[in-house]
Amino acid sequence: MATHSLLAPSAAERWINCPASVVMSEPFPDTISEYAAEGTTAHKLAELKIRSSILGEEVDGKEVDKVKRSKYYNPDMEDYTDEYVEYVRSLVNSNETTVLPETRLNLNFITQGTVGTADCILAFGNELHVIDFKYGKNVEVNAQDNPQLKIYGLGACNLIDGLIYNIENVTVHIAQPRMNNFSSMTISKKELKDWLKDEVRPQALKAINGTAETAVGNWCQFCRAKTVCRKYGERFDVDYKPDNPNTLSNEEIAERITRLSGLDGYLKDLKKYALDKILDGETFPGLKAVAGRSVRTWTDQEEAFRIAQENGYDHSVLFEQVPLSLAKVEKMMSKRKFNELLSDYVDKPPGKPTLVSENDPRESIVTESVDNDFTDVDINKIDFD
Ligand code: SF4
């Protein structure tokens, strides 16, 4: 039986579609990535801005200093959090609007002990708005039918409805400024409650009891159990068809590219899993652990360089001076300052052709002249997930 805390709203798409993943993920630690830590810093900064600039609260300077001293803080974070705060401000209807930034939600209606935090809740008239601030810049998130947001919508209804407001409709929003991605979806309170009753609770029950079969889909990319999941692994099984002609057709190649797009990551995960287990004493037929290639490092670089200089090796031959990359200069200055001072000296040539799924929103670049020239295609950048 799974612990309730594993039914996190942020993983709702996964556990609603594949409830079996909850029990299967339990042996695998949930690590906090650098991206998540950066997101936490940005959320804190955004909350302080909402408190001071929308709610007119006096914000403790020490809290602001603490955010700015974080190793994840950089000047661009100011611009992106400003964009999020402006989005929230644009939704504030009047002085009568209740604004609740970073609000802890009791989600016991899913299972006892489930909690979540809404980035910002707004309530006025019979409307409720829940805004989710995404700081990531790699995976675009959409508000449409987003289970995490719908759960927050239910949690916010639970908190507010019937007190001062009689909520009829809930609008959930994604604000993802680093991808210039803002979207929303409105749903009635009744539809949300029906969804909870008909889909969420039955799937949550299966997840807690561990009584479900695995179901593969886009949600697998964030599943900690995918290394040991049989059904996920079957996706990469090669289907030999000896009766076929010697050469693969374009259709077969396209099918393989689509199906095997996560193979690099999957193989890396499998290797890490097997190595950890071998180091713990388990065996995997035909495999063993050995010491990898080792790289020499200084025990005391300062002293070593002092001796080298004493013996005639000048500072200029021991040290390299390398210019910062364009991205690092921009990060150091902030986007705004960079554009103001240096934008005239920046060129952005067209990107190298990259193969993606036909569902990708970017426009196809194929013209007559490049139709038969794929020599420059970067096959490491095939992006189907
Ligand atoms: S990898 Fe996919 S199918 Fe397997 S348990 Fe995880 S979510 Fe379910």
Side-chain angles (χ1 to χ4, degrees), residues 309-364:
Q309 282 177 283
E310 249 180 34
N311 285 277
Y313 294 94
D314 195 56
H315 183 281
S316 63
V317 298
L318 290 168
F319 290 86
E320 287 177 333
Q321 201 177 9
V322 183
L324 288 183
S325 68
L326 187 152
K328 281 185 180 166
V329 173
E330 184 183 59
K331 193 170 178 187
M332 182 260 298
M333 285 184 169
S334 89
K335 235 183 185 48
R336 204 180 297 161
K337 199 74 186 164
F338 182 89
N339 285 337
E340 189 185 313
L341 296 177
L342 305 177
S343 59
D344 286 349
Y345 302 95
V346 176
D347 180 35
K348 194 169 189 300
K352 214 173 176 180
T354 301
L355 199 58
V356 298
S357 158
E358 66 182 353
N359 299 326
D360 190 282
R362 284 168 287 179
E363 207 176 312
S364 168

Side-chain angles (χ1 to χ4, degrees), residues 143 145-155 172 185 187 192 195:
D145 226 11
N146 182 312
Q148 179 188 7
L149 292 192
K150 291 199 306 194
I151 288 174
Y152 287 157
L154 281 161
V172 292
M185 179 196 76
I187 185 167
L192 273 182
W195 176 71

Side-chain angles (χ1 to χ4, degrees), residues 83-259:
E83 277 190 60
Y84 161 66
V85 173
E86 281 317 304
Y87 184 80
V88 172
R89 195 193 311 279
S90 73
L91 299 167
V92 174
N93 184 285
S94 68
N95 288 343
E96 303 300 309
T97 303
T98 297
V99 181
L100 302 172
E102 291 297 313
T103 303
R104 186 88 163 156
L105 298 173
N106 170 338
L107 305 172
N108 280 341
F109 50 79
I110 298 175
T111 52
Q112 202 62 31
T114 306
V115 290
T117 303
D119 295 334
C120 193
I121 298 172
L122 307 178
F124 48 86
N126 57 10
E127 283 184 39
L128 186 66
H129 291 253
V130 179
I131 304 110
D132 199 36
F133 174 38
K134 298 282 187 207
Y135 199 66
K137 61 172 183 180
N138 294 320
V139 180
E140 191 171 294
V141 187
N142 199 298
Q144 195 60 38
D145 226 11
N146 182 312
Q148 179 188 7
L149 292 192
K150 291 199 306 194
I151 288 174
Y152 287 157
L154 281 161
C157 268
N158 227 17
L159 183 73
I160 282 181
D161 191 28
L163 292 176
I164 325 169
Y165 305 99
N166 285 315
I167 302 300
E168 284 179 16
N169 290 313
V170 178
T171 303
V172 292
H173 304 254
I174 288 285
Q176 192 174 16
R178 289 171 96 188
M179 297 192 80
N180 197 22
N181 171 37
F182 298 83
S183 60
S184 65
M185 179 196 76
T186 300
I187 185 167
S188 71
K189 184 174 75 181
K190 179 174 180 322
E191 284 174 300
L192 273 182
K193 288 191 166 176
D194 288 347
W195 176 71
L196 174 67
K197 178 164 69 69
D198 300 337
E199 275 189 57
V200 180
R201 286 184 57 87
Q203 295 302 83
L205 207 60
K206 284 188 207 166
I208 294 297
N209 293 334
T211 56
E213 290 200 354
T214 48
V216 173
N218 277 342
W219 46 87
C220 294
Q221 60 182 312
F222 301 115
C223 179
R224 302 199 304 276
K226 66 175 187 274
T227 322
V228 293
C229 175
R230 182 173 300 283
K231 205 167 266 176
Y232 184 77
E234 282 171 2
R235 173 181 174 198
F236 302 109
D237 287 349
V238 176
D239 185 12
Y240 290 108
K241 290 183 183 158
D243 297 339
N244 270 11
N246 285 341
T247 52
L248 294 169
S249 68
N250 285 4
E251 287 71 22
E252 285 171 303
I253 290 174
E255 185 277 329
R256 279 166 197 231
I257 289 173
T258 307
R259 182 163 49 82

Side-chain angles (χ1 to χ4, degrees), residues 44 48 77 142 153 287 323:
K44 188 66 204 173
L48 295 173
M77 201 174 264
N142 199 298
L287 300 175

